[in-house]
Amino acid sequence: MRSALLCILSLPVLASAPRADAADKKALDEYFKGKVIALEGKVITLRYDFRKKDQAEDFVDRVPFRIKPRKEQRIGWFDDKLEIIGNSGARHKAEWVDEVVVTATFIPDLEKDFGGFVSPVAETEDFALYSFVETFFHAYDKNAGGDNSIIKFGAQWKETDGEEFIGFRYGPKKPPKDPIAIGKSIEATFGLEKKKLIFRLPEYELKKADWGVKLKRCHVGFYAIKGRLLLDNIEISGQLASDWLDREGIELRTAKPIAAEGEGGIDSETAQLMETHATGEAKSTRQLLSLLKDESREPVVKALMDCLTHGPKKTAQYAIDLLYHKEPSVRDRGIEIIDAHLGTDYGFKAKGAEKARSAAIQKLQQAIQDDPSLLDGITERSGKTK
């Protein structure tokens, strides 16, 4: 199938950074705001959980395709996640060579036209798009679209005269098994692997050998058109371009040992939060509770719940926030924590009607207001308090 894309907005050229002296070079974990979780030979894996706002600084507002800007578009950090307000894109600042694979949790606040991309560093038009429920580009063919798809762009496929047009070809595509649910997390993987473009979704995998002008030296990123997209738990794995490392003043090493994940997939940062929660540090308790809102962290939920149902009884008050969550599973975790510390659920049912849930929350809050001592002490693992 053939098509052509109208180019509405010209793209600026980014200036190269000056080459750094050897004495000034930084380790990978000193340069990137994300965590270096693996370094095997020349292959590095970065992880972004966005618990810290500065992790968003490793991304710039950039998309490889030309699109008319919207006044409200932007990228940023919101609620421990990377936020994209379309028509924007969040492009990672590193330059990768040969292979690069990205896994992320997509939390859409739109029903179509969002996804990831791999684009050439040279900023030619030979980029690949990995799209959820794509309709924007199909519209140039007067096609309704609606598939999850891989699309490859390139000037060699231009079919309309004039510099304002570029061309593209549809690659593998398939309709989603279920409609996109706004606010529902989707874990997906995309990128360039063994010279193939791959798009792994929860229900199936799309892949095809790279075609057209091959992708070799690339940027990776995410995009949203018109709507809003949140991203979490981003992992990027690949080989960084050696001359980019030199230009940015980076050495292929880490300043600190790479911490291995503990039992049950608990990383060192979470383990530290669990320790400080036990000492009564409220900030740590709130951060652990926030992790329970993340459906992609299901493998570590058991360990988190074991931690949060014990320790300072004040945890029950902080857990009230979970009772307002849109997902019943998260509300259920919240009331389990409250019940463990206070000995009652106040009639709250996670799957109950909203009016009944609100009444139970009011009853709980009134009980704490009438008797603040309910939050005194520690809930021991034996179930007894002191």
Side-chain angles (χ1 to χ4, degrees):
M1 188 179 294
R2 298 172 178 236
S3 186
L5 171 63
L6 176 62
C7 299
I8 305 174
L9 180 67
S10 61
L11 302 177
V13 177
L14 301 180
S16 297
R19 188 180 298 272
D21 294 333
D24 298 328
K25 286 189 175 182
K26 296 181 178 180
L28 293 163
D29 52 347
E30 293 172 329
Y31 177 83
F32 289 110
K33 303 298 185 182
K35 302 174 187 175
V36 181
I37 63 169
L39 178 58
E40 300 177 3
K42 295 183 178 181
V43 177
I44 177 178
T45 302
L46 298 170
R47 176 182 291 165
Y48 295 85
D49 57 19
F50 300 104
R51 296 188 204 175
K52 296 180 180 179
K53 184 178 181 179
D54 65 358
Q55 289 187 22
E57 295 174 13
D58 281 356
F59 297 83
V60 297
D61 189 343
R62 188 82 168 160
V63 289
F65 50 86
R66 297 181 176 106
I67 187 170
K68 186 176 181 179
R70 298 169 68 222
K71 184 178 180 180
E72 63 270 33
Q73 72 180 50
R74 66 179 184 274
I75 69 169
W77 181 85
F78 176 82
D79 194 25
D80 294 348
K81 294 175 182 63
L82 181 64
E83 179 185 44
I84 300 175
I85 306 291
N87 300 327
S88 287
R91 191 183 78 182
H92 193 262
K93 64 183 181 180
E95 296 181 8
W96 308 85
V97 291
D98 297 330
E99 289 192 10
V100 58
V101 176
V102 184
T103 297
T105 300
F106 295 76
I107 309 166
D109 197 12
L110 68 170
E111 297 172 335
K112 60 182 181 179
D113 295 324
F114 64 92
F117 63 81
V118 176
S119 61
V121 168
E123 298 201 357
T124 61
E125 296 163 346
D126 309 293
F127 60 90
L129 212 64
Y130 307 82
S131 182
F132 289 88
V133 192
E134 203 287 306
T135 67
F136 181 79
F137 298 101
H138 278 75
Y140 289 93
D141 256 358
K142 296 182 180 179
N143 186 318
D147 294 324
N148 296 331
S149 54
I150 301 175
I151 306 176
K152 187 70 184 287
F153 292 74
Q156 73 272 26
W157 294 314
K158 184 170 70 171
E159 299 172 358
T160 305
D161 291 335
E163 294 184 0
E164 71 273 22
F165 289 95
I166 61 173
F168 60 87
R169 288 290 185 273
Y170 305 128
K173 56 185 179 177
K174 196 171 182 179
K177 183 179 179 182
D178 299 305
I180 295 293
I182 291 176
K184 182 77 171 180
S185 298
I186 308 169
E187 185 171 321
T189 298
F190 67 89
L192 181 63
E193 183 179 70
K194 297 179 181 178
K195 299 183 180 180
K196 292 183 178 180
L197 304 182
I198 57 100
F199 193 17
R200 298 189 183 109
L201 298 139
E203 57 265 54
Y204 50 74
E205 178 181 30
L206 303 174
K207 63 180 177 180
K208 181 179 179 180
D210 191 11
W211 73 101
V213 177
K214 306 298 188 291
L215 288 161
K216 295 180 179 180
R217 185 185 180 100
C218 307
H219 287 298
V220 296
F222 307 86
Y223 77 95
I225 295 176
K226 293 186 179 180
R228 175 174 179 261
L229 175 67
L230 296 177
L231 294 146
D232 201 1
N233 303 316
I234 296 172
E235 287 192 12
I236 308 173
S237 184
Q239 182 174 324
L240 295 165
S242 57
D243 59 333
W244 178 81
L245 288 167
D246 288 341
R247 191 169 67 247
E248 293 295 312
I250 312 167
E251 289 185 324
L252 205 59
R253 62 178 178 86
T254 58
K256 298 179 181 178
I258 296 173
E261 289 190 343
E263 185 178 352
I266 298 292
D267 60 86
S268 58
E269 185 176 348
T270 302
Q272 181 61 39
L273 290 174
M274 293 167 78
E275 288 183 16
T276 50
H277 156 75
T279 68
E281 186 182 287
K283 183 178 179 181
S284 296
T285 301
R286 287 193 290 265
Q287 285 184 277
L288 291 173
L289 287 164
S290 181
L291 295 179
L292 291 177
K293 300 177 184 178
D294 185 353
E295 293 181 25
S296 66
R297 293 187 66 89
E298 190 64 38
V300 303
V301 163
K302 182 178 179 182
L304 292 171
M305 289 296 293
D306 183 58
C307 173
L308 289 164
T309 52
H310 301 92
K313 297 184 73 177
K314 286 184 178 179
T315 304
Q317 186 170 38
Y318 305 134
I320 293 174
D321 177 59
L322 299 182
L323 305 185
Y324 294 98
H325 199 274
K326 63 181 179 297
E327 290 295 332
S329 60
V330 177
R331 298 197 295 263
D332 193 53
R333 293 166 193 164
I335 198 59
E336 183 179 340
I337 292 167
I338 291 165
D339 193 4
H341 289 288
L342 303 186
T344 177
D345 61 12
Y346 295 91
F348 183 92
K349 305 300 179 187
K351 294 183 178 180
E354 184 177 355
K355 185 176 180 180
R357 298 200 311 268
S358 296
I361 293 172
Q362 290 175 17
K363 186 177 179 181
L364 162 61
Q365 292 174 323
Q366 188 63 51
I368 293 173
Q369 183 178 329
D370 292 342
D371 185 6
S373 68
L374 288 173
L375 302 176
D376 293 343
I378 297 172
T379 302
E380 300 285 12
R381 293 188 182 277
S382 64
K384 299 177 181 178
T385 60
K386 68 176 184 181

